[in-house]
Amino acid sequence: MIPGLHINTVAELLYYFGMSGFWGAFLLYILYGIATALDSIYSVALNIPDGATGIAPTAAQMLSAKGMVGRGVYSYIMGGVIGIGVSLVSLPILYTILPILQPFFQENMLPILLFASSLVLLNDFNVQNLAVFLIAGIFGMFVLNSGASDNLIFPMFVGFFTLPMLMTKTVVLEVEEGYSKRIGWAAPIIASIVTAIAYMIPGVATPTMIIVFAGLFANIRDDEFVSALGAINTANIIFSIMMIDFIGKARTGVAIVVQNMYHTTMFWDFMLALAGASAFGIAALIILHSLPRAVNFFAPFTHPFMKLLLAVYLVLLTFLVSGAFGVLVMGVACAIGIFTLVAKARRANLMGSIIVNAVMYYFGRK
């Protein structure tokens, strides 16, 4: 899998090239699980995020600076394993309560979004974070209210998160001894549950918007933060497809493509979720079994020339999908992302690009 290439884009490409039916969806979810496991290398060890793990390097760089790159990868993977377990066990309960809770969330979206905004802003509040939130919010309102907003979310988040990190110097450290110490269960469990609840909130429950909730864990220990992110991403594998049956809506790009590929039923949706979870587990075991070699294998992506090639590839992909205007959106978003890094602001505040737009929308409905 190519760093920086989001699974939603992979799904769209597979569908574009003619993949369909259950087995097309099955292959997509196998790739979903593998890609989620590989994020432990890309986002944590190599600090090359995709859209859904854009703020992972914040904590990962702290671990790397302490010579704990192995700890970061291990925490992500074990958090992911916990996330899968919690998600699967909670499915019967969620099937019962989510349809009951959904009307409450729909009717109280404005206070919920205001609360989410306050959490993002008040978490380590300062002038830089407020400025990033507002700048991203104004830019997001422009992008999301344009005629081609569906095709502009990808370049906007690539500009916010991926390109600025590709411009920074990446340090790959040797995997340390004793990285497999026990991780806490609390953060991954909470992250998994919050992920399920997020799917009931319009404009929040996409793989990228899960970053908002990951950002709420920013003040806990770095390895716990990374484990929470792992749990969020693996819970997303399960819930992305099961929400079609739970609340009757496809809330992610992957799930929407699956609906286009074949007529979904609850049993086969569960089989897809299980396939993705199994693929993650197998890939995770392989990575952990040969972690030093795995990190070294992907190390060429840290070379400046490889990063340049990846950036060029993302620009070309954006041009093909979104045209010249998409490239412009990516460029402006990249400038905002660079400003965020230079100002040393929390990158979770870039979620103002979605939150401000959603708050203004629900204000207009009141």
Side-chain angles (χ1 to χ4, degrees), residues 217-280:
F217 292 97
N219 287 335
I220 64 176
R221 205 171 63 228
D222 291 324
D223 57 342
E224 291 181 341
F225 170 87
V226 174
S227 71
L229 183 67
I232 288 170
N233 284 346
T234 54
N236 216 25
I237 297 174
I238 309 297
F239 297 135
S240 62
I241 187 68
M242 296 307 298
M243 285 297 162
I244 296 176
D245 307 296
F246 286 8
I247 64 175
K249 295 180 181 179
R251 297 302 309 278
T252 68
V254 176
I256 291 172
V257 170
V258 165
Q259 283 190 308
N260 292 331
M261 284 183 170
Y262 90 113
H263 180 68
T264 60
T265 63
M266 182 178 292
F267 174 78
W268 291 113
D269 289 345
F270 178 73
M271 290 295 102
L272 292 178
L274 201 58
S278 300
F280 171 85

Side-chain angles (χ1 to χ4, degrees), residues 64-89:
S64 297
K66 300 173 185 176
M68 299 173 64
V69 65
R71 180 62 178 173
V73 175
Y74 180 81
S75 297
Y76 176 97
I77 288 178
M78 294 309 297
V81 171
I82 295 172
I84 286 176
V86 171
S87 301
L88 291 175
V89 169

Side-chain angles (χ1 to χ4, degrees), residues 340-364:
T340 304
L341 293 178
V342 172
K344 297 182 179 180
R346 291 178 64 245
R347 295 208 291 161
N349 287 279
L350 289 168
M351 292 303 100
S353 57
I354 300 292
I355 294 176
V356 170
N357 186 75
V359 168
M360 296 304 295
Y361 170 77
Y362 280 98
F363 260 123

Side-chain angles (χ1 to χ4, degrees), residues 14 19 21-34 272 275:
L14 288 177
M19 297 296 298
F22 173 78
W23 292 110
F26 183 83
L27 173 62
L28 173 57
Y29 265 76
I30 291 293
L31 294 176
Y32 194 174
I34 295 172
L272 292 178

Side-chain angles (χ1 to χ4, degrees), residues 301-355:
F301 283 111
T302 65
H303 191 277
F305 180 71
M306 291 296 294
K307 287 187 174 186
L308 177 61
L309 286 181
L310 179 56
V312 171
Y313 155 76
L314 290 171
V315 172
L316 291 176
L317 180 63
T318 297
F319 180 77
L320 291 174
V321 174
S322 308
F325 187 60
V327 177
L328 176 63
V329 168
M330 177 186 287
V332 176
C334 181
I336 297 173
I338 292 172
F339 169 76
T340 304
L341 293 178
V342 172
K344 297 182 179 180
R346 291 178 64 245
R347 295 208 291 161
N349 287 279
L350 289 168
M351 292 303 100
S353 57
I354 300 292
I355 294 176

